[in-house]
């Protein structure tokens, strides 16, 4: 747009991507956000110092802070967002619910006045029927809510809800609604200018969330047809118009299994998931917000809005799915976004990120590393793009949820569009462990493993005999043997490279696979096609073969000569190949501390030991609930990689 931009940043964000991308940047305080991104005075100073004409508040932080918007307007600076009155009104869930009723927007059956006494709450609940939900008027986004199943719990729930609301928001008003079970979260994007024009840009579905943290969002929703879209859109526009809304905003609904929709709240900011709407409408929402703030008229009418194809967004979080999705921190020692490889030509993948290789993910802010957004003609196509892009995304140094996202994308119910806000907890429970079992097509992995092994064997044979000992020299004279056995998830697949003729043909247990795409041993990605289907696999080499990461599966692959594989089957089953009850040192190092005792009960994620290696302390955590059976090391011991530190029962 040709507008000079100035980024503000905290001490922790000196090297952050947004700092590089802006025309200029200014430091506003220390890492904790209270001193920087939430420090209104520091930002106002930065505005004054740089002569900025307007401030875009982004999302989170001060984006829905009416006081901040007011201070800006007082100093003659435009707040790129809605009027202060709309922020205030929508921040009050009791007032906004009443406003919605007045504007003819359906709301959840209940009572839009504060409830004060347990007896009052019991009377209302009896009228609307259990289960009911208590909500703090100043809450929102899941904060300050209590689910109540029966009259016996309601008094206690009300007392604790009111006191929590008072403590958190300084506003103890609580209201009561019927609890809608298994709802879908569907929201309508609205845009309004200062000339009285208000339109909607269709819906986004955000049902895939964990503990009120959205994980996957999409537009449109597989649950919404043209008729419902028109109805929800019209109500959202009516509500926005009723509060003289200006700028981009989102009207959030829950939709029950019978397609009844109910207003929940209105978010008076740009939302994290806005790219999916941008992808399907072709509009740039931030550009629209800036034009609206500058007093321009919307250049489109409702009838101009088209929803094209399907867009899907995955939030790549620094978190540990194995340890119950605990936030993770660390340095991105390797960070490579998809589409930088062979697929980088089309416009179906977008990445909005705040980090680059070498950056540190700190504990100060939200653990989101990037948003990966894909587009396709159909929902299936958008999902396929997403699966491929997830396979291509390399994040090392910080534990992440890429495998979990890939598993979500492959989940049959997700693919069928059968979503509710309980999807993740119902289908995955409270953690996720990637495995090599149940990959949909292990033979494809075996075929690729065969090709990669062929590359390695070819290399070995090409090494000049002069650089090798006599044994290699004789080996050089032998014909290249291209029969191997790929062992994957305890299954043996005989593999033969039949031809090498530009494309490779691989026979896996008699099935023919044509594999294209190059790979060299330095590459951490295999990108190519198997039988014409594009495929991307992350490849880790190890002594026995490979570790593949594909579609959220971790596949450990061994490759052996047929004779060796045959011998392996004759060998007695190893006494104990199951190491899941062992805590082993991930690297050679020194035991700094043992943090549990024999006989102690531990829970998934508890710290059990600390190992120091290369001056870095590495904490080891329990990977399941259990009881410590035996401890094999003491502080001060040096340990080898994979040396057993302790056993669980
Ligand atoms: C509800 C509800 C069921 N019934 N209200 C959570 C966030 C806040 N915006 C309101 N929320 C809910 N309100 C009634 N009457 C279920 C939720 C809810 C939810 C809503 C949207 C997205 C995810 C959610 C996860 C749990 C609960």
């Amino acid at each position: 747009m040709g507008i000079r931009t100035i980024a503000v940043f905290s001490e922790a964000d000196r090297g952050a991507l947004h700092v590089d991308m802006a025309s200029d940047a200014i430091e506003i305080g220390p890492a904790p956000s209270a001193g920087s991104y939430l420090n209104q005075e520091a930002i106002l100073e930065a505005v004054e110092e740089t002569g900025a004409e307007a401030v875009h508040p982004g999302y989170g932080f001060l984006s829905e802070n009416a006081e901040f918007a007011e201070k800006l307007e007082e100093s003659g600076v435009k707040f790129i967002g809605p009027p202060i009155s709309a922020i205030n009104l929508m921040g009050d869930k009791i007032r906004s619910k009443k406003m919605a009723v007045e504007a003819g927007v359906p709301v959840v059956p209940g009572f839009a006045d504060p409830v004060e006494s347990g007896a009052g709450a019991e009377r209302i609940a009896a009228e609307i029927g259990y289960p009911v939900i208590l909500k703090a008027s100043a809450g929102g986004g899941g904060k300050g809510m209590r689910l109540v199943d029966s009259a016996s719990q309601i008094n206690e729930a009300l007392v604790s809800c009111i006191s929590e609301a008072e403590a958190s928001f300084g506003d103890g008003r609580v209201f009561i609604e019927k609890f809608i079970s298994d709802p879908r979260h569907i929201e309508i994007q609205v845009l309004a200018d200062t000339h009285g024009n208000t339109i909607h840009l269709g819906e986004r579905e955000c049902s895939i969330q964990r503990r009120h943290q959205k994980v996957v969002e999409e537009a449109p929703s597989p649950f919404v047809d043209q008729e419902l879209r028109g109805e929800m859109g019209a109500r959202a526009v009516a509500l926005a118009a009723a509060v003289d809304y200006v700028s981009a905003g989102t009207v959030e609904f829950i939709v029950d299994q019978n397609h009844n929709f109910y207003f929940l709240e209105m978010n008076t900011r740009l939302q994290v998931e806005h790219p999916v709407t941008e992808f399907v409408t072709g509009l740039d929402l931030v550009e629209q917000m800036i034009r609206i703030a500058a007093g321009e008229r919307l250049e489109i009418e409702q009838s101009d809005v088209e929803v094209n194809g399907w867009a899907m967004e995955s939030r790549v979080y620094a978190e540990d799915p194995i340890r119950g999705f605990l936030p993770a921190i660390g340095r991105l020692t390797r960070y490579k976004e998809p589409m930088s490889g062979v697929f980088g030509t089309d416009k179906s993948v977008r990445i909005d990120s705040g980090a680059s290789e070498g950056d540190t993910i700190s504990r100060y802010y939200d653990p989101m590393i990037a948003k990966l957004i894909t587009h396709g003609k159909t929902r299936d196509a958008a999902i396929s793009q997403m699966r491929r892009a997830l396979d291509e995304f390399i994040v090392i140094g910080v534990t992440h949820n890429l495998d979990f996202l890939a598993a979500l994308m492959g989940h049959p119910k997700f693919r069928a569009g059968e979503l509710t806000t309980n999807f993740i907890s119902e289908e995955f429970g409270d953690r996720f462990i990637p495995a090599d079992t149940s990959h949909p097509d292990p033979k494809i992995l075996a075929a690729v493993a065969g090709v990669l092994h062929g590359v390695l064997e070819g290399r070995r044979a090409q090494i000049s005999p002069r650089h090798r000992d006599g044994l290699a020299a004789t080996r050089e004279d032998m014909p290249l043997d291209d029969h191997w056995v790929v062992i994957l998830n305890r299954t043996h697949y005989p593999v033969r490279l039949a031809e090498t003729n530009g494309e490779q043909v691989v026979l896996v247990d008699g099935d023919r696979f044509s594999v294209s795409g190059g790979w060299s041993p330095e590459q951490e990605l295999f990108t190519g096609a198997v039988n014409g289907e594009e495929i991307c696999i992350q490849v880790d080499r190890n002594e026995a073969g490979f570790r593949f990461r594909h579609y959220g599966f971790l596949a450990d692959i061994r490759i052996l000569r047929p004779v060796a594989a045959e011998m392996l089957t004759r060998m007695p089953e190893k006494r104990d190949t199951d190491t899941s009850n062992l805590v082993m040192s991930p690297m050679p190092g020194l035991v700094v501390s043992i943090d549990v005792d024999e006989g102690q009960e531990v829970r998934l994620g508890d710290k059990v030991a600390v190992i120091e290696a290369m001056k870095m302390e590495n904490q080891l955590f329990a990977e399941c609930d259990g009881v410590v059976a035996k401890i094999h090391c003491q502080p001060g011991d040096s340990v080898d990689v994979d040396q057993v530190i302790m056993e669980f029962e």
Side-chain angles (χ1 to χ4, degrees):
M1 295 176 80
I3 300 171
R4 194 161 83 95
T5 53
I6 301 145
V8 294
F9 64 96
S10 73
E11 238 168 72
D13 278 349
R14 277 187 191 141
L17 205 54
H18 78 283
V19 173
D20 291 345
M21 292 174 84
S23 323
D24 258 309
I26 187 161
E27 192 170 318
I28 50 164
S33 39
S36 48
Y37 297 113
L38 289 172
N39 183 346
Q40 302 186 22
E41 294 315 314
I43 296 171
L44 288 162
E45 258 173 54
V47 167
E48 193 165 346
E49 212 172 295
T50 57
E53 294 168 59
V55 172
H56 194 297
Y59 24 74
F61 296 127
L62 297 171
S63 61
E64 293 183 295
N65 189 304
E67 189 190 325
F68 177 61
E70 214 162 342
K71 284 186 192 158
L72 283 173
E73 301 278 317
E74 273 166 18
S75 34
V77 178
K78 201 81 207 150
F79 175 73
I80 304 175
I84 291 145
S85 56
I87 301 176
N88 275 326
L89 199 160
M90 291 305 170
D92 182 331
K93 307 305 163 199
I94 288 180
R95 274 178 70 203
S96 67
K97 188 170 178 180
K98 288 187 167 172
M99 201 70 213
V101 174
E102 268 177 51
V105 184
V107 299
V108 186
F111 206 61
D113 271 311
V115 272
E116 263 127 30
S117 68
E122 208 178 316
R123 192 172 38 76
I124 300 162
E127 226 169 89
I128 58 181
Y130 289 94
V132 298
I133 187 166
L134 303 176
K135 294 182 177 180
S137 182
K143 276 171 267 164
M145 302 192 325
R146 292 283 185 292
L147 175 59
V148 183
D149 287 315
S150 69
S152 64
Q153 310 162 347
I154 201 160
N155 191 46
E156 201 188 317
L158 183 68
V159 168
S160 80
C161 194
I162 289 174
S163 69
E164 186 191 317
E166 245 152 25
S168 316
F169 317 112
D171 174 355
R173 287 173 306 144
V174 165
F175 63 108
I176 184 166
E177 284 184 342
K178 174 128 191 96
F179 179 71
I180 309 293
S181 52
D182 283 327
R184 300 174 72 124
H185 173 144
I186 298 175
E187 58 189 31
I188 301 280
Q189 177 71 54
V190 298
L191 267 186
D193 66 17
T194 51
H195 306 277
N197 304 303
T198 306
I199 60 172
H200 74 86
L201 306 180
E203 79 283 3
R204 295 184 285 260
E205 172 148 16
C206 316
S207 297
I208 302 298
Q209 54 87 45
R210 274 195 71 253
R211 301 180 171 205
H212 306 294
Q213 200 179 41
K214 290 169 186 166
V215 178
V216 172
E217 305 99 340
E218 60 187 290
S221 158
F223 202 57
V224 174
D225 59 17
Q226 197 56 38
E227 191 190 334
L228 186 57
R229 177 170 306 122
E231 224 173 290
M232 292 177 76
R235 307 295 179 156
V237 165
L239 177 61
V243 302
D244 296 319
Y245 198 82
V246 171
S247 193
T250 299
V251 181
E252 193 181 309
F253 295 99
I254 42 178
V255 184
D256 70 18
Q257 295 305 315
N258 300 317
H259 294 82
N260 299 307
F261 64 91
Y262 309 97
F263 168 77
L264 277 189
E265 49 194 77
M266 181 171 185
N267 299 310
T268 56
R269 59 163 193 281
L270 182 75
Q271 289 199 263
V272 173
E273 60 272 24
H274 73 280
V276 293
T277 299
E278 295 188 329
F279 239 145
V280 293
T281 61
L283 289 163
D284 181 324
L285 283 170
V286 177
E287 178 186 341
Q288 294 299 320
M289 290 176 82
I290 293 170
R291 292 192 184 284
I292 289 166
E296 287 184 25
R297 278 174 187 280
L298 282 177
E299 69 247 7
I300 47 161
E301 300 177 26
Q302 190 62 57
S303 56
D304 298 326
V305 176
E306 265 183 57
V307 174
N308 288 308
W310 216 283
M312 185 89 42
E313 173 175 281
S314 293
R315 298 194 188 188
V316 180
Y317 284 117
E319 65 181 14
D320 193 347
I322 295 175
R323 281 197 270 133
F325 300 92
L326 242 63
I329 52 170
R331 213 170 84 93
L332 294 166
T333 52
R334 197 84 182 80
Y335 179 79
K336 208 159 153 242
E337 293 173 350
M339 301 311 286
S340 41
V342 295
F343 302 123
T345 46
D346 61 309
K347 292 265 181 290
S348 54
V349 176
R350 161 175 169 177
I351 295 159
D352 288 13
S353 64
S356 43
E357 194 164 283
D359 284 356
T360 297
I361 303 294
S362 71
R363 70 196 142 81
Y364 295 108
Y365 314 117
D366 187 282
M368 192 160 65
I369 302 172
K371 298 184 283 179
L372 176 55
I373 311 109
T374 60
H375 183 262
K377 280 208 179 80
T378 61
R379 187 168 185 270
D380 263 348
I383 292 173
S384 297
Q385 295 276 15
M386 182 66 76
R387 299 181 90 190
R388 196 194 65 190
L390 287 166
D391 278 343
E392 215 184 327
F393 209 141
I394 298 174
V395 179
I396 298 171
V398 178
T399 316
H400 55 74
N401 66 338
L402 285 166
D403 299 316
F404 175 63
L405 291 168
L408 259 174
M409 292 296 146
H411 193 293
K413 272 194 174 170
F414 179 83
R415 307 210 66 164
E418 290 166 25
L419 318 176
T420 78
T421 55
N422 302 319
F423 187 91
I424 292 179
S425 65
E426 279 171 8
E427 302 298 327
F428 291 92
D430 50 18
R431 64 181 153 143
F432 168 74
I433 300 168
D436 64 358
T437 50
S438 69
H439 185 281
D441 215 335
K443 282 189 177 181
I444 287 182
L445 299 185
V448 174
V451 169
L452 303 199
H453 192 64
V455 171
L456 292 175
E457 288 289 294
R459 280 268 166 122
R460 229 170 275 162
Q462 278 159 20
I463 292 172
S464 157
R466 271 182 289 128
H467 297 117
R468 286 289 211 94
D469 53 24
L471 209 122
T474 37
R475 198 185 175 287
E476 176 79 342
D477 298 331
M478 297 197 306
L480 199 61
D481 188 347
D482 60 356
H483 287 69
W484 298 297
V485 174
V486 169
I487 304 170
L488 168 56
N489 191 25
R490 290 166 187 261
T491 309
H492 289 223
Y493 300 95
V495 166
R496 241 190 89 199
L497 299 188
E499 309 164 24
T500 318
N501 194 0
E503 69 161 10
Q504 299 244 28
V505 173
V506 190
L507 294 173
V508 180
D509 204 7
D511 290 348
R512 191 177 180 281
F513 293 89
S514 145
V515 181
S516 64
W519 183 77
S520 64
E522 306 76 45
Q523 281 178 306
E524 56 214 329
L525 273 186
F526 169 80
T527 43
V530 176
N531 293 344
E533 288 271 336
E534 278 181 354
I535 188 168
C536 181
I537 298 175
Q538 285 192 26
V539 180
D540 242 346
R541 280 170 63 197
N542 55 40
E543 279 139 63
F546 304 99
R547 166 168 276 198
F548 280 0
R549 200 171 75 76
H550 181 244
Y551 282 180
F553 297 94
L554 276 185
D556 282 308
I557 292 172
R558 289 186 75 175
I559 304 195
L560 297 169
R561 295 269 172 220
V563 180
E566 173 70 17
M567 270 164 60
L568 193 70
T569 59
R570 283 162 199 264
M571 283 205 290
E573 188 81 4
K574 257 205 219 159
R575 269 176 303 115
D576 187 13
T577 47
D578 180 11
T579 57
S580 61
N581 66 328
L582 303 179
V583 177
M584 300 187 297
S585 180
M587 72 249 323
L590 197 71
V591 178
V592 176
S593 69
I594 299 286
D595 300 281
V596 290
D597 296 312
E598 286 180 4
Q600 186 178 326
E601 263 185 55
V602 292
R603 304 262 304 147
L604 165 80
D606 286 352
K607 185 169 91 171
V608 296
V610 179
I611 306 294
E612 185 194 288
M614 297 188 295
K615 300 198 179 112
M616 293 252 296
E617 289 204 345
N618 298 276
Q619 306 192 344
L620 306 185
F621 300 94
E623 299 202 345
C624 58
D625 298 344
V627 175
V628 180
K630 193 160 171 48
I631 293 173
H632 294 271
C633 297
Q634 291 177 6
D637 287 356
S638 39
V639 285
D640 235 337
V641 62
D642 286 345
Q643 186 170 331
V644 176
I645 295 169
M646 66 185 68
E647 281 173 47
F648 287 103
E649 271 171 14

